[in-house]
Amino acid sequence: SKATVSVLNWIYREAHNMGKCILSQRRGAGSIFTAHTHKRKGAAKLRPLDFGERRGFVKGTVQEIVHDSGRGAPLALVQFRHPYKYKRVQARMIAVEGMSTGQFVYCGKRAELAIGNCLPLKMMPEGSIVCNVELKTGDRGSMARASGEYCIVISQLPEQERTRIKLPSGEKKSISWNCRAMVGIVAGGGRTEKPLLKAGAAHYAAKAKRKNWPNIRGVARNPVEHPHGGGNHQHVGHPTTKSRMCPAGQKSGLVAARRTGRHKGGRSNE
């Protein structure tokens, strides 16, 4: 109808009069702003918890140590015998420092405390250095998985059947002592100590995870590109607090802030 055509024309004119989409809107839509994951090897997990691990141990062989795109730590492809079929299965684990191809890896309650082996926390003495620790029994590893990271077994709590560990952040946590962990430190430590030296290296590092790089400040942009852009000096010129309900092109700065300004005074110990 004529009314529909006139409304569409009005929308078309208004759209052409508006500023362009700000970068956060473009990134939010995904499309080209998503990570290229086709080179990734897959999820790195401990082998599924089965009868063999609960009662004794299972022997595996490290077939290969490979690089995984977007991950700082290398992966170890470990081959085990299938629990009840005549075939072999491959587990994709996070490599531990000191692990090598051809090495035998033992997983289970009765495995010995050696680099690369996987055993429940209750079988580890206090002071043990572990990584790829399970948070819940059987979740196949969820803590201390980044390159160079590790946890320390602080103490065993037999009455509660729990183990107290120190996380890489320094936080101390008590988890079930049936949770498994790998002995040693995650390989690839000290990766961040090497300087990037040039913008190209930073570009490819960010590209693997599709991070926002280079991250340009809003005040350094033009008015059409960002709500903070423009002006004769690099300044915002208005409060940066924004409503949760404001349109996407305005959502920059302090969105739905409960309070702003400096947090003065430390917390009292009382």
Side-chain angles (χ1 to χ4, degrees):
S1 66
K2 284 186 178 181
T4 310
V5 171
S6 62
V7 167
L8 289 172
N9 286 337
W10 177 80
I11 291 170
Y12 181 78
R13 284 198 308 273
E14 286 296 312
H16 275 261
N17 291 335
M18 281 194 240
K20 70 181 195 181
C21 276
I22 65 172
L23 186 60
S24 58
Q25 288 175 280
R26 294 178 60 214
R27 292 185 64 81
S31 181
I32 62 164
F33 294 100
T34 51
H36 297 161
T37 57
H38 65 283
K39 288 183 180 177
R40 299 195 180 177
K41 302 294 184 289
K45 297 181 178 181
L46 302 173
R47 64 186 299 280
L49 182 62
D50 57 10
F51 180 84
E53 280 203 37
R54 280 196 294 267
R55 298 295 184 193
F57 66 85
V58 182
K59 178 182 171 183
T61 311
V62 179
Q63 296 291 312
E64 196 180 355
I65 292 174
V66 295
H67 168 68
D68 188 18
S69 181
R71 187 192 296 271
L75 295 183
L77 305 180
V78 187
Q79 197 176 72
F80 293 93
R81 288 178 64 180
H82 194 278
Y84 52 89
K85 288 185 180 177
Y86 182 67
K87 64 176 184 179
R88 299 185 186 279
V89 288
Q90 196 175 68
R92 201 183 299 107
M93 297 179 170
I94 290 169
V96 194
E97 205 168 280
M99 193 179 265
S100 59
T101 53
Q103 176 184 335
F104 291 132
V105 172
Y106 299 90
C107 301
K109 181 183 174 183
R110 298 191 184 282
E112 64 178 22
L113 197 75
I115 295 291
N117 286 359
C118 171
L119 21 82
L121 290 171
K122 65 181 175 184
M123 307 306 292
M124 296 185 181
E126 295 172 5
S128 300
I129 303 292
V130 295
C131 64
N132 201 7
V133 187
E134 290 183 329
L135 183 59
K136 295 181 173 63
T137 310
D139 74 5
R140 301 174 70 183
S142 57
M143 295 186 288
R145 293 159 57 91
S147 54
E149 299 289 21
Y150 61 91
C151 292
I152 302 171
V153 177
I154 298 173
S155 60
Q156 304 285 1
L157 309 169
E159 308 84 30
Q160 303 164 23
E161 295 192 352
R162 295 179 82 80
T163 300
R164 195 162 170 78
I165 60 170
K166 186 179 180 183
L167 302 180
S169 62
E171 182 189 347
K172 294 181 176 68
K173 196 171 184 68
S174 167
I175 58 176
S176 169
W177 69 357
N178 292 316
C179 291
R180 297 172 294 166
M182 290 180 77
V183 182
I185 301 173
V186 180
R191 175 176 50 86
T192 54
E193 290 168 17
K194 179 190 170 188
L196 290 169
L197 292 179
K198 57 181 185 176
H203 165 80
Y204 288 113
K207 186 180 175 184
K209 294 191 175 181
R210 190 52 84 187
K211 290 189 175 177
N212 183 14
W213 188 91
N215 192 4
I216 302 162
R217 292 165 300 132
V219 288
R221 298 180 192 172
N222 297 316
V224 73
E225 293 162 343
H226 198 274
H228 297 172
N232 288 339
H233 303 283
Q234 284 194 7
H235 71 296
V236 180
H238 54 80
T240 57
T241 47
K242 284 286 183 288
S243 163
R244 174 77 72 208
M245 304 302 169
C246 71
Q250 291 178 11
K251 277 200 175 175
S252 57
L254 305 168
V255 179
R258 287 191 172 87
R259 57 155 293 166
T260 61
R262 288 175 58 205
H263 289 256
K264 292 187 179 178
R267 285 185 181 176
S268 61
N269 296 324
E270 297 173 7

